Amino acid sequence: MSKTTVLTGITTTGTPHLGNYVGAIKPSIEASRLTDTESFYFLADYHALIKCEDPERVNQSTLEIAATWLALGLDTDNAAFYRQSDIPEIPELTWILGCSCAKGLMNRAHAYKAAVQDNVAAGQDPDYEVTMGLFNYPVLMAADILMFNAHKVPVGKDQGQHLEMARDIAQRFNHRYGECFVLPEAVIDETAAVLPGLDGRKMSKSYDNAIPLWQGAKKLRKSVMRIVTNSKEPGEPKSVDESALYPIYAAFVGQAEREQMKQQLADGLAWGEAKKIVFERINDELAPGRERYNQLIASPGEIEAVLLEGARKAREKAIPLMEKVRAAVGIRKLG
Ligand code: TRP
């Protein structure tokens, strides 16, 4: 039986936080061990350039994200783990796909449209600070996916449209030039925990409410202590929806511990005591990975070697596919 191919990318612009861990990293790492799937996980550093013009940050984020996935036990024997920019076939495919992709389709992309609308609302030129990178983003993403004939692509809700576009692009190409690409499907886990941040809004670097994944135990404790709670006194009954504390805890524990926390809060557990429990639990889960993470960050050469091996594996698929695509469009030897 042929295996299902699962692929996903992580844009290398930030420092991993607890929300990334719970929502994407942990489930992906678990999935990397499934032997009935062929998995591709990659660091989308070309995508990073669309959002970030700070070279140090792109580089540092690549290092941190790679170290995170490896420290947490990504199975790199079973999954290909690579950096997008180590696969020269990806930008090549991006160009070729762009030549049959309708510009009108890209005009409808949410991220681009939002940028234009913001400009218009601000009385600016509609294209003010809109780059070709932003405009082409969905084509690059389609190339990432179609390059490896991915069947399933686990992504956040915000990426659903990009998957539809990848399917459109693949369909149009197949129709024009013959079957080259599998039509990919988005896998959007509606039940996935969207972790709230310190202030209760979705945990996000842009809201400045994130708890960094990797910090020493002391700092982690401080972060947990900063989760916003109300002024209810010890002894006063509290409910689970009065603070981000409970949903954060719930993302780390099983049903029994959730029930217990719920009961303790209802019985008047002090916020400070609850925070201690939450800190201990998160710290226990992260401590082993933290040590490995710190080791990896201190030896980037080790990470580099893993990524290059991942790229080698990925190119075993990318090179023959690109040959087929080139031939299909008429870029081939003369005679
Ligand atoms: N654009 C995706 C994000 O911001 C990251 C990404 C790039 C990706 N290429 C991809 C995800 C290919 C899935 C498949 O989350």
Side-chain angles (χ1 to χ4, degrees):
M1 204 189 74
S2 74
K3 291 187 175 187
T4 303
T5 300
V6 178
L7 173 146
T8 199
I10 316 104
T11 306
T12 54
T13 45
T15 289
H17 58 62
L18 287 189
N20 304 137
Y21 172 73
V22 166
I25 305 173
K26 201 174 161 183
S28 296
I29 287 176
E30 279 164 18
S32 75
R33 304 210 180 86
L34 300 175
T35 48
D36 60 343
T37 56
E38 191 173 11
S39 327
F40 293 82
Y41 296 105
F42 70 96
L43 303 159
D45 53 354
Y46 283 141
H47 277 88
L49 303 185
I50 297 167
K51 288 199 232 167
C52 178
E53 290 184 71
D54 174 352
E56 282 322 308
R57 196 162 119 213
V58 171
N59 193 253
Q60 179 65 20
S61 172
T62 306
L63 175 70
E64 290 178 6
I65 295 173
T68 297
W69 286 62
L70 295 175
L72 292 170
L74 181 73
D75 184 345
T76 52
D77 292 327
N78 197 39
F81 185 49
Y82 55 95
R83 194 166 29 198
Q84 185 182 32
S85 61
D86 283 331
I87 316 290
E89 290 75 19
I90 291 176
E92 186 179 357
L93 182 58
T94 303
W95 178 260
I96 293 178
L97 294 177
C99 293
S100 59
C101 170
K103 172 176 177 285
L105 183 66
M106 297 300 99
N107 288 342
R108 294 195 284 278
H110 298 320
Y112 165 72
K113 256 172 68 176
V116 171
Q117 276 164 4
D118 288 351
N119 283 336
V120 171
Q124 293 279 11
D125 183 278
D127 283 334
Y128 178 68
E129 286 191 343
V130 173
T131 63
M132 284 306 296
L134 179 67
F135 191 67
N136 270 329
Y137 176 138
V139 185
L140 177 59
M141 186 157 158
D144 291 333
I145 297 168
L146 302 181
M147 186 95 251
F148 300 100
N149 279 157
H151 302 100
K152 306 234 174 249
V153 183
V155 283
K157 268 194 206 127
D158 61 319
Q159 299 291 317
Q161 189 197 32
H162 293 142
L163 263 293
E164 288 306 317
M165 291 178 157
R167 287 173 70 90
D168 267 17
I169 291 170
Q171 232 157 359
R172 185 158 173 149
F173 187 97
N174 286 348
H175 181 72
R176 180 74 188 80
Y177 295 110
E179 288 296 314
C180 282
F181 302 119
V182 164
L183 303 189
E185 247 175 68
V187 182
I188 298 170
D189 183 357
E190 302 283 351
T191 66
V194 175
L195 209 68
L198 298 171
D199 58 358
R201 290 185 295 171
K202 178 185 169 184
M203 189 178 288
S204 162
K205 195 183 51 187
S206 38
Y207 293 150
D208 201 19
N209 65 357
I211 301 180
L213 180 58
W214 303 122
Q215 39 184 351
K218 256 195 188 155
K219 282 198 173 162
L220 179 62
R221 173 191 285 268
K222 267 199 185 151
S223 292
V224 172
M225 294 299 159
R226 283 174 50 220
I227 296 172
V228 176
T229 48
N230 58 26
S231 57
K232 285 193 178 166
E233 299 284 339
E236 266 188 84
K238 301 171 183 71
S239 82
V240 295
D241 50 18
E242 287 176 11
S243 163
L245 191 61
Y246 175 82
I248 291 175
Y249 184 64
F252 282 84
V253 298
Q255 195 54 35
E257 286 164 285
R258 285 181 207 156
E259 288 305 322
Q260 196 184 358
M261 172 62 81
K262 204 169 176 175
Q263 190 58 50
Q264 285 176 298
L265 287 170
D267 291 345
L269 181 70
W271 286 124
E273 292 302 314
K275 285 178 175 178
K276 267 187 210 155
I277 296 170
V278 175
F279 160 72
E280 295 291 347
R281 187 63 186 73
I282 298 178
N283 191 51
D284 285 350
E285 177 158 335
L286 298 181
R290 183 191 294 145
E291 202 166 308
R292 179 78 187 117
Y293 176 83
N294 289 334
Q295 285 166 359
L296 281 164
I297 288 287
S299 48
E302 201 180 318
I303 301 176
E304 193 61 40
V306 173
L307 291 178
L308 291 180
E309 173 53 22
R312 193 197 57 73
K313 248 203 271 186
R315 292 188 76 203
E316 281 178 2
K317 278 192 98 176
I319 291 170
L321 186 92
M322 233 15 254
E323 271 168 24
K324 187 173 167 186
V325 169
R326 264 187 235 118
V329 298
I331 296 181
R332 52 188 176 223
K333 284 225 166 63
L334 302 178

